[in-house]
């Protein structure tokens, strides 16, 4: 029997930030249209392709007898999203795996739900590895300061396991948008210019091209002594959170021995209690100012919710805010964009802000739980209420945010936030719209969650709830702009 003729397709991205995903997608679509089975095609990276590989002419007519010219291919959104992430993985086999899954999806629309299927399991695993690498990059990049012809320039060198710089760059652009900085990796590099607000990608760089030490070194060391968290010093936690391969670029490593000596007992008891009860407590920095909290939050593994969410969603707003809004947890959109209240509920909330004259930028908005919880139904990720254990696990972050901001008024959006801050006996429809002193703020108040309004099918009822929410918002806003009233006895339990 003759061996099937194997077609080699070379993925050769021209730009340093390009993962090759778009090229693969176009080639894969063409192959699908020609009904080319996965074992008759081989996708290769240009850098690893053999010199005899062909750049195909991609205008072959569809093979006769295929239905694909009349039937559009079945390409679920969730597959495309995963494939775009998997493209950044270093495995040379990822393109073939993606094509295999794509091919099989045409005859088995439920394939992605069969988690024990070897192809699906492999796809999930490489997506997870890329996300994990991204998480590490966000946590372990350290900039060094130099002066060049254009002035101050912050440079970091990092060696990610996968080619993730283009995926990681938006995080740094958002965090350090006013600084001029560059991140160099062996694969490629990116430079951010705050004046033109542009990020330019360039070739990879050797470690020696980045400054080794600077005056910021002392700052980093003090900073890490301050935000030091003994849980990081537990050997197993340390191996998983701060892999040895990154140590050489982490100035704080120099202060670890001293910190270890002081922390040993604390680590032991914290890790023991962490096993018994999920809690974010071991991940809370010792000096929890708002920027330090935001820096530390992505490393939280205080409960299991971090495992499936895309990213953690930090609170947003100025540390000088006098009004803090606390929601339940990020939704699908928030999980994708990394900011609270940016989905449909946030839209309704902003409409209400507008109607009652609230300046949204002056508020601090956050959630009781910082990771999205959902169940996957086909393409959709359906919001799932957090369990009480998850709300409790995440409470240290909320408390630390409140402590850092010390808002005059806290407005709980919905029952989860209300029960978290006002106690389990709080009944939203009975008790909303009343100011209550708690240990968190002299004036704590709760209102209807905008998602509850959106879920209300009865139009008249939804309108009434919206009106209630607006009244409560207006009260909270106006109180937050007055000098604080004298303290009164609490009505609700303050042990919440
Ligand atoms: N619902 C919430 O409670 N918080 C968000 O951030 C979005 C929707
Ligand atoms: Fe940590 Fe909260 Fe996320 Fe759980 S939900 S992992 S406690 S940040």
């Amino acid at each position: 029997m003759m061996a099937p003729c194997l077609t080699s397709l070379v993925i050769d991205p021209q730009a340093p930030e390009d993962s090759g995903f778009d090229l693969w997608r176009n080639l894969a679509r063409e192959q699908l249209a020609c009904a080319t089975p996965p074992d008759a095609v081989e996708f290769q990276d240009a850098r690893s392709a053999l010199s005899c590989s062909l750049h195909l002419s991609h205008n072959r007519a569809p093979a006769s007898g295929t239905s694909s010219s009349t039937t559009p291919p079945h390409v679920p959104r969730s597959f495309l999203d995963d494939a775009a992430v998997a493209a950044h993985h270093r495995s040379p086999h990822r393109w073939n795996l993606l094509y295999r899954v794509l091919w099989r999806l045409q005859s088995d629309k439920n394939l992605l739900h069969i988690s024990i299927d070897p192809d699906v399991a492999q796809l999930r695993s490489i997506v997870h590895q890329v996300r994990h690498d991204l998480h590490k990059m966000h946590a372990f990049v350290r900039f060094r300061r130099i002066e060049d012809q254009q002035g101050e320039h912050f440079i970091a060198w990092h060696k990610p396991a996968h080619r993730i710089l283009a995926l990681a760059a938006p995080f740094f652009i958002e965090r350090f948008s006013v600084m001029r900085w560059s991140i160099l990796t062996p694969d490629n590099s990116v430079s951010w210019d705050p004046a033109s607000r542009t990020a330019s990608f360039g070739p990879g760089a050797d470690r020696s091209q980045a400054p080794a030490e600077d005056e910021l070194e002392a700052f980093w060391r003090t900073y890490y002594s301050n935000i030091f968290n003994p849980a990081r010093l537990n050997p197993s936690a340390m191996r998983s959170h701060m892999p040895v391969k990154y140590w050489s670029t982490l100035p704080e490593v120099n202060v670890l021995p001293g910190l270890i000596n002081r922390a040993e007992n604390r680590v032991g008891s914290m890790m023991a209690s962490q096993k018994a009860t999920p809690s974010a407590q071991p991940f809370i920095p010792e000096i929890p100012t708002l920027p330090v909290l935001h820096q530390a939050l992505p490393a939280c593994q205080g409960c299991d919710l971090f495992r499936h969410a895309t990213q953690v969603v930090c609170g947003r707003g100025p540390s000088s805010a006098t009004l803090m809004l606390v929601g339940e947890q990020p939704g699908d959109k928030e999980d994708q964009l990394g900011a609270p209240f940016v989905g449909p509920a946030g839209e309704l909330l902003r409409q209400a802000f507008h109607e009652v004259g609230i300046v949204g930028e002056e508020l601090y908005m956050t959630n009781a739980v910082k990771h999205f919880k959902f169940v996957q139904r086909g393409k959709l990720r359906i919001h799932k209420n957090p369990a009480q254990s998850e709300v409790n696990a995440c409470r240290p972050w909320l408390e630390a945010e409140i402590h850092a901001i010390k808002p005059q008024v806290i407005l709980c959006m919905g029952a989860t936030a209300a029960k978290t801050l006002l106690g389990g006996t709080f009944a939203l429809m009975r008790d909303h719209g009343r100011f209550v002193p708690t240990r968190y703020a002299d004036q704590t108040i709760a209102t209807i969650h905008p998602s509850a309004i959106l879920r209300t099918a009865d139009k008249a009822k939804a309108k009434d709830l919206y009106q209630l929410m607006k009244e409560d918002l207006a009260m909270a806003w106006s109180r937050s702009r007055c000098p604080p009233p004298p303290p009164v006895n609490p009505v609700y339990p303050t042990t919440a």
Side-chain angles (χ1 to χ4, degrees), residues 393-453:
C394 212
R395 181 195 292 271
W397 289 115
L398 180 60
E399 292 190 349
E401 282 174 297
I402 296 173
H403 186 75
I405 293 172
K406 300 190 178 48
Q408 208 162 296
V409 179
I410 298 180
L411 174 58
C412 305
M413 307 298 304
T416 300
K419 286 186 193 296
T420 305
L421 297 183
L422 290 157
T425 57
F426 188 90
L428 191 64
M429 290 319 290
R430 183 191 65 198
D431 300 325
H432 75 91
R434 289 164 54 194
F435 288 99
V436 174
T438 60
R439 67 188 164 108
Y440 304 109
D442 287 340
Q443 302 177 87
T444 309
I445 184 173
T447 192
I448 321 299
H449 196 290
S451 300
I453 303 175

Side-chain angles (χ1 to χ4, degrees), residues 327-331 334 340-341 345 367 449 451:
E328 182 193 66
Q329 64 167 334
E334 287 79 13
F341 288 108
N367 284 299
H449 196 290
S451 300

Side-chain angles (χ1 to χ4, degrees), residues 279-280 297 300-306 312 369-371 390 393-394 397:
S279 172
L297 191 55
C300 186
Q301 300 186 355
C303 72
D304 276 345
L305 293 186
F306 79 93
V312 76
V369 171
K370 308 291 193 249
H371 275 110
E390 289 151 353
C394 212
W397 289 115

Side-chain angles (χ1 to χ4, degrees), residues 174 311 313 316 332-339 342-343:
E174 195 198 330
Q311 58 188 314
V313 176
R316 273 278 168 97
D332 187 30
K333 201 64 183 268
E334 287 79 13
D335 173 75
Q336 290 168 37
L337 298 179
V342 289

